[in-house]
Amino acid sequence: MRTQVAIIGAGPAGLLLSHLLHLRGITSVVLESRDRAYAEGRVRAGVLEQGTVDTLVAAGVGDRMLREGMPHHGIELRYGGRGHRIAFEELVPGRAITVYGQQEVVKDLIAARLRDGGDVRFEVTDAAVHDAATDRPYVTFGGERLDCDFVAGCDGFHGVTRPSIPAGVLSEHRRDYPFAWLGVLARVKPSSEELIYARTDRGFALHSMRSPEISRFYLQVAPDEDIANWPDDRVWAELRTRLETVPDFELATGPILDKSVTPMRAYVAEPMRYGRLFLAGDAAHIVPPTGAKGLNLAVADVRLLTDALARWYATGSADLLDSYSEACLKRVWSAQHFSWWMTTLLHTFDTDDPYGRRLQLAHLDQVTSSRAAATTLAENYVGLPFDSSGSTGTSSGTRSSVMPK
């Protein structure tokens, strides 16, 4: 078999890359180790930046998102017995976030690829990348061989593409936080129209949602927390304690559909390229989920990679391929900083450090009382605009050249 771009991983990054390349007349094959039901059902991120929304709409895969997604024009920071709204419509006019689950984005992209005759293969075994440092890379899987011009590693943090890069090529930056998130999905109407980020002396809590009928909650817990220690009654009791801290707020409860514990960590591998193997999304970087940047960074990577590959096929120029890693990492490190900032702003670190707690509260007071500080939060939360190369920029344009000419 032969294709122009072999894509390993059928998450949002891999599927969107395949779709955008198709719009530019470039062929691809997507290889995924999991089955389709798993890919379409795994509940993960749900906050889409303005630029991500605009990208999906411009690519023709945003119709259901526009119908069913929930646009939000602010978030609430809750601490010290009061709630403080960060109003996007006032601070960053015309920009917002949309709550729409990652699994829904995946469903839309799979449907689009299959509708357009795309080659997406699930339950692939033993995928491996070969000769990435040459101009004739190929991928083997399940006893088959796929020759290609380029390989895109979109297979997540635990995938096979990044480990296929020889030792010593990548610089790897890591940070592990001294806590984890207990995530809860419940069949209950959200108790708030917008996300609530709550800082308490007992730890952080987040009230989010996935639909008008499904709510998503997170609790800061110990990094080695055993999910068995959290029966439903304890989960709801702790959520009430951390969220019912302002007058007249009552947390609605209902059947819990899913519970899991996620470590809080950060990771960046650089460069995001080895020869003709290009990494995108979680294969190259992960962020703590406090800033809601993971999926959105993957979309930003894919925009840049699409433009770079399209330039190469159209003109033979490798200039955008050569600058891909640097351009991606500019935005990646900006998102790493914002995610670290949000995490340190809202979580309990050392309960025996009253000095640190007072500094944290002073910082929260500044964010909620200073328009300049609140604007910085809002700008980063809704997503920094893309410049003409798709990287972090200051212009207001959101449509990039990843769309067909």
Side-chain angles (χ1 to χ4, degrees), residues 68-318:
E68 301 178 11
M70 296 181 286
H72 285 198
H73 298 277
I75 60 172
E76 179 183 334
L77 301 183
R78 185 172 292 186
Y79 70 100
R82 296 182 60 190
H84 307 263
R85 184 170 184 266
I86 305 298
F88 301 155
E89 71 273 19
E90 297 176 9
L91 300 168
V92 282
R95 300 181 67 78
I97 56 104
T98 296
V99 175
Y100 188 68
Q102 174 172 310
Q103 73 276 14
E104 305 305 323
V105 175
V106 167
K107 290 175 187 175
D108 296 339
L109 288 167
I110 289 176
R113 293 307 299 122
L114 298 182
R115 177 197 66 213
D116 296 334
D119 193 343
V120 182
R121 305 188 181 200
F122 296 97
E123 299 182 81
V124 165
T125 59
D126 301 323
V129 180
H130 306 273
D131 292 351
T134 75
D135 61 0
R136 296 178 180 272
Y138 65 97
V139 176
T140 56
F141 62 97
E144 299 188 63
R145 171 172 169 151
L146 176 62
D147 291 292
C148 54
D149 299 321
F150 300 96
V151 179
C154 305
D155 51 344
F157 183 74
H158 298 290
V160 301
T161 53
R162 191 181 69 253
S164 72
I165 297 174
V169 171
L170 299 178
S171 296
E172 298 181 280
H173 311 276
R174 304 172 185 266
R175 169 161 293 183
D176 294 312
Y177 289 86
F179 41 76
W181 272 15
L182 169 62
V184 176
L185 193 70
R187 189 175 299 282
V188 58
K189 181 180 179 180
S191 301
S192 169
E193 294 183 355
E194 296 177 338
L195 278 71
I196 302 171
Y197 288 77
R199 183 266 178 212
T200 77
D201 288 339
R202 295 177 64 88
F204 168 78
L206 172 61
H207 177 299
S208 185
M209 60 285 293
R210 289 296 177 266
S211 76
E213 298 80 29
I214 302 293
S215 295
R216 185 72 159 153
F217 304 95
Y218 296 98
L219 287 167
Q220 177 185 346
V221 295
D224 57 351
E225 192 66 63
D226 186 348
I227 195 69
N229 294 332
W230 287 88
D232 292 3
D233 289 347
R234 184 187 178 192
V235 169
W236 288 122
E238 191 63 29
L239 283 168
R240 287 195 189 98
T241 299
R242 298 190 195 185
L243 290 170
E244 292 182 346
T245 57
V246 299
D248 302 322
F249 179 83
E250 184 175 347
L251 182 68
T253 64
I256 290 180
L257 307 176
D258 181 70
K259 286 182 287 190
S260 61
V261 174
T262 302
M264 293 283 283
R265 60 192 176 187
Y267 173 86
V268 179
E270 51 185 336
M272 291 170 55
R273 175 190 184 180
Y274 172 67
R276 292 202 171 187
L277 168 61
F278 293 82
L279 303 178
D282 287 0
H285 44 74
I286 56 175
V287 291
T290 325
K293 294 298 166 216
L295 169 60
N296 297 293
L297 280 178
V299 171
D301 292 347
V302 164
R303 289 168 58 109
L304 284 168
L305 187 52
T306 299
D307 276 350
L309 291 168
R311 172 77 68 87
W312 188 86
Y313 281 110
T315 69
S317 172

Side-chain angles (χ1 to χ4, degrees), residues 49 51 95 293 331 334 379-386 391-393:
E49 295 177 354
R95 300 181 67 78
K293 294 298 166 216
R331 193 178 191 93
S334 177
E379 285 179 337
N380 282 274
Y381 197 90
V382 303
L384 298 172
F386 298 111
S391 185
T392 301

Side-chain angles (χ1 to χ4, degrees), residues 53-54 56-57 61-71 98 100 108:
V53 170
D54 294 340
L56 295 174
V57 171
V61 289
D63 289 351
R64 191 165 71 93
M65 174 190 65
L66 293 178
R67 292 195 308 270
E68 301 178 11
M70 296 181 286
T98 296
Y100 188 68
D108 296 339

